[in-house]
């Protein structure tokens, strides 16, 4: 069995960005130049290796994060190519949770776009070191320096340019390496290696100025560079590279490179930067979890007890369920039995796989710092911790946003009906932002997701992968309800039939909770007026009742409920009676507490030619949108706005038709807000 490569030669990275910034194109070039593929896949031709789902190839977008690995300069790079569309943000969230570094791709024309900000915040949450790649430098309107300013202003990060472009738009022909003070020229022949040469004369002054800026910015965060800079010592290439690496790993600043992935410009230098500046698994802080003895950290070392996180579950029509795992410590072997500490279950690892998009190769083990997958998990779901039973540990789970759009779905035939439930369950296991519920009142199966496209793809997958034909309803907004003031109410459930009766009696207080804090329950009774064995039933009765509010029958959120009094009967009281009494009392208290309906508000960024600005802004107002800011970006006018999701269905199509197809909109969830009374009255 060949020896494992040293952990210092591993890089686990994600390629993240706004939709259409060129993430998948960058990844395809990386695979080609590292020799992982022999032919470049193109997104626009539907031949991208990483976009292997039919839905991805048809739409030209990434839907599901795809993993692969390649070799560069004696280093193994595990790459996860993530989606840019906000509907599939779950794929970015769980990928960043297990990665050690990220390549953030920006469109040189559009700069920092809304979803760029979202993925940046997600990377901040997990403190993932990043390098930036300003892509599409050959496009009309490309502006490297404006993108740099936007990284500083919008993302709050200090950009350190390690390269400057030679030309831009159709004259873009190479990059200048500020560290080594050399130029790299690229030809239109993608198989021709980049040519190293002297910096062109007309760029010498610019390169000198920007090199000085680069060293100044590094010196602000690096004492060794600061001392050399103040004393006037010439810094060696090796010293600068080490300093950039230190600053990147500590998130003090972010290095910026540029190129054009479609034209194969700058990708080899990006690969060098991944190896030089992004951390190995043993250079990031040890993973932390909770064991029997309290908080515990595990080092990225194959000799430590096994510690792994299942970050993704996939259902393959031929192989069955597959779990993607990141090994933080220890070694996972094929055929081994491991302990799922999240569910207190044993899990047997069947075949162990190294994954390359939709191709897989069997391996016999995987060690600390690496990413792999195993076939046939029975008890494991997204976010579960796998570890050694003799040294259990529980890692932090992955948090996911709540769905905002729902549709009713029904099978077309009895045969389809039999398969529908099982198919939806498999899809829900794969995607934690996809929820399935059966509505008892209407008899409908309701599916919920992050947006129209998300649910459209789910319905398409049901048809193609699971061979289930369905009728799909119109999208519905996932409204919520909450309260605006405190109130108290009594809930009494008394039934006396022949023999043993039912008796439950509670007094509840409800009050608003902070937005986003969810449901909190407290027992404030004294003297045992409600016996301890019934407190859990009271809570359950309240939780069951929260599924349907009193304004429009929508789920209730952000409330605190306190049990403050009650009574019981020695013979007739039981769990069911107290759960029913709590449900009655809670609904009564809701009615007194100024209940309101909430709707999801979306953050919208529209890029439109100037001549259509008035028409687009007027249409926004007619949809209850509010403009929060405008700016010019090249020839386009950018409008930042907020709009209720209820008024956004079909908006992209309407926007295209009013601007002759020249405007684009980016939409993402922002927050929940009270529905105006005038809108509620109109709806009724």
């Amino acid at each position: 069995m060949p020896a494992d490569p040293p952990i210092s030669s591993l890089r686990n990275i994600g390629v993240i960005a706004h939709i259409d910034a060129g993430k998948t194109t960058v990844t395809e070039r990386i695979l080609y130049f590292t020799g992982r593929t022999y032919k470049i896949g193109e997104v626009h031709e539907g031949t991208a290796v990483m976009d292997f789902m039919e839905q991805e190839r048809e739409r030209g977008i990434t839907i599901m994060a795809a993993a692969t690995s390649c070799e560069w300069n004696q280093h193994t790079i595990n790459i996860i190519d993530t989606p840019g569309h906000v509907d599939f943000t779950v794929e970015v969230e769980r990928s960043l949770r297990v990665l050690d570094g990220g390549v953030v791709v920006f469109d040189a024309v559009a700069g920092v776009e809304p979803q760029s900000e979202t993925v940046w915040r997600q990377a901040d949450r997990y403190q993932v070191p990043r390098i930036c790649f300003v892509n599409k430098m050959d496009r009309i309107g490309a502006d490297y320096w404006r993108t740099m300013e936007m990284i500083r202003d919008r993302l709050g990060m200090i950009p350190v340019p390690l390269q400057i472009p030679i030309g831009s738009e159709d004259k873009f022909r190479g990059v200048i390496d500020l560290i080594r003070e050399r130029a790299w020229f690229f030809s239109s022949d993608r198989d021709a290696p980049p040519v190293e040469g002297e910096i062109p004369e007309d760029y010498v002054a610019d390169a000198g100025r920007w090199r000085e800026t680069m060293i100044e910015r590094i010196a602000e965060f690096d004492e060794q560079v600061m001392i050399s800079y103040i004393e006037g010592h010439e810094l060696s290439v090796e010293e600068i590279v080490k300093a950039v690496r230190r600053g990147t790993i500590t998130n003090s600043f972010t290095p910026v490179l540029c190129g054009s992935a479609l034209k194969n410009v700058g990708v080899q230098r990006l690969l060098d930067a991944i190896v030089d500046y992004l951390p190995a698994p043993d250079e990031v802080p040890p993973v932390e979890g909770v064991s029997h003895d309290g908080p515990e950290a595990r080092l990225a070392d194959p000799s430590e007890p096994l510690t792994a996180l299942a970050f993704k579950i996939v259902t393959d029509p031929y192989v069955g369920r597959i779990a993607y795992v990141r090994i933080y410590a220890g070694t996972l072997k094929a055929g081994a039995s491991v302990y799922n500490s999240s569910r207190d279950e044993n899990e047997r690892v069947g075949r162990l796989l190294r994954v390359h998009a939709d191709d897989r190769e069997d391996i016999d083990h995987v060690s600390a710092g690496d990413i792999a997958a195993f076939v046939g998990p029975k008890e494991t779901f997204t976010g579960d911790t796998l570890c050694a039973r003799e040294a259990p540990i529980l890692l932090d789970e992955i948090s996911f946003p709540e769905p905002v759009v729902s549709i009713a779905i029904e099978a077309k035939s009895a045969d389809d009906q039999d398969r529908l439930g099982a198919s939806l369950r498999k899809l829900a296991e794969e995607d934690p932002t996809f929820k399935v519920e059966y509505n008892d009142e209407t008899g409908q199966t309701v599916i919920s997701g992050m947006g129209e496209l998300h649910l459209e793809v789910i319905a398409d997958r049901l048809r193609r992968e699971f061979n289930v034909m369905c009728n799909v309803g119109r999208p519905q907004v996932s409204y919520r309800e909450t309260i605006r003031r405190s109130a108290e109410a009594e809930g009494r459930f008394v039934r006396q039939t022949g023999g043993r009766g039912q008796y439950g009696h509670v007094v509840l207080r409800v009050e608003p909770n902070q937005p986003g804090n969810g449901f909190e329950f407290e027992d404030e009774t004294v003297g045992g007026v409600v016996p301890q064995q019934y407190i859990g039933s009271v809570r359950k009765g309240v939780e069951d009742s929260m599924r349907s509010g009193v304004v429009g029958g929508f789920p209730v959120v952000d409330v605190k409920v306190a049990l403050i009094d009650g009574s019981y009967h020695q013979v007739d009281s039981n769990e069911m009676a107290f759960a029913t009494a709590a449900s009655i009392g809670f609904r009564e208290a809701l009615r007194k507490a100024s209940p309101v309906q909430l709707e999801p508000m979306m953050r919208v960024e529209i890029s439109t030619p100037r001549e259509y600005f008035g028409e687009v802004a007027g249409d926004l107002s007619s949809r209850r949108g509010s403009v929060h800011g405008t700016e010019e970006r090249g020839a386009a006018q950018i409008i930042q706005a907020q709009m209720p999701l209820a008024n956004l269905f079909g908006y992209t199509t309407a926007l295209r038709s009013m601007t002759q197809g020249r405007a684009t909109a980016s939409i993402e969830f922002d927050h929940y807000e009270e529905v105006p009374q005038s809108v509620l009255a109109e709806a009724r």
Side-chain angles (χ1 to χ4, degrees), residues 397-447:
E397 290 190 346
I398 310 171
S399 58
F400 299 110
E402 283 295 308
V404 292
V405 177
S406 303
I407 57 173
I409 189 166
E410 62 180 26
K412 284 189 174 179
S413 68
D415 284 350
D416 290 323
Q417 183 64 47
D418 293 341
R419 293 194 301 274
L420 178 62
S423 303
L424 288 173
R425 190 172 64 251
K426 287 176 182 173
L427 290 168
E429 285 174 4
E430 280 188 23
D431 184 350
T433 59
F434 171 62
K435 298 277 193 292
V436 183
E437 287 179 346
Y438 182 76
N439 189 317
D440 291 321
E441 292 175 17
T442 62
Q444 289 179 313
T445 299
V446 177
I447 60 173

Side-chain angles (χ1 to χ4, degrees), residues 22-34 37 39-43 47-51 57 81 267 357:
K23 295 174 302 304
T24 302
T25 305
V26 167
T27 311
E28 293 293 326
R29 270 38 181 196
I30 286 173
L31 296 180
Y32 180 74
F33 289 122
T34 56
T37 56
K39 179 173 174 287
I40 291 183
E42 300 290 9
V43 174
T47 58
V49 174
M50 301 303 280
D51 285 349
R57 293 188 165 175
D81 174 35
V267 178

Side-chain angles (χ1 to χ4, degrees), residues 85-98:
H85 199 287
V86 67
D87 282 18
F88 309 105
T89 187
V90 59
E91 296 288 339
V92 184
E93 186 77 28
R94 57 183 169 193
S95 300
L96 286 171
R97 171 71 171 79
V98 298

Side-chain angles (χ1 to χ4, degrees), residues 105 244 266 530 633:
V105 181
V244 173
V530 176
R633 202 179 291 165

Side-chain angles (χ1 to χ4, degrees), residues 645-659:
L645 177 61
N647 295 55
L648 270 169
F649 293 127
Y651 178 67
T652 313
T653 307
L655 180 68
R656 285 191 192 122
S657 64
M658 80 175 84
T659 60

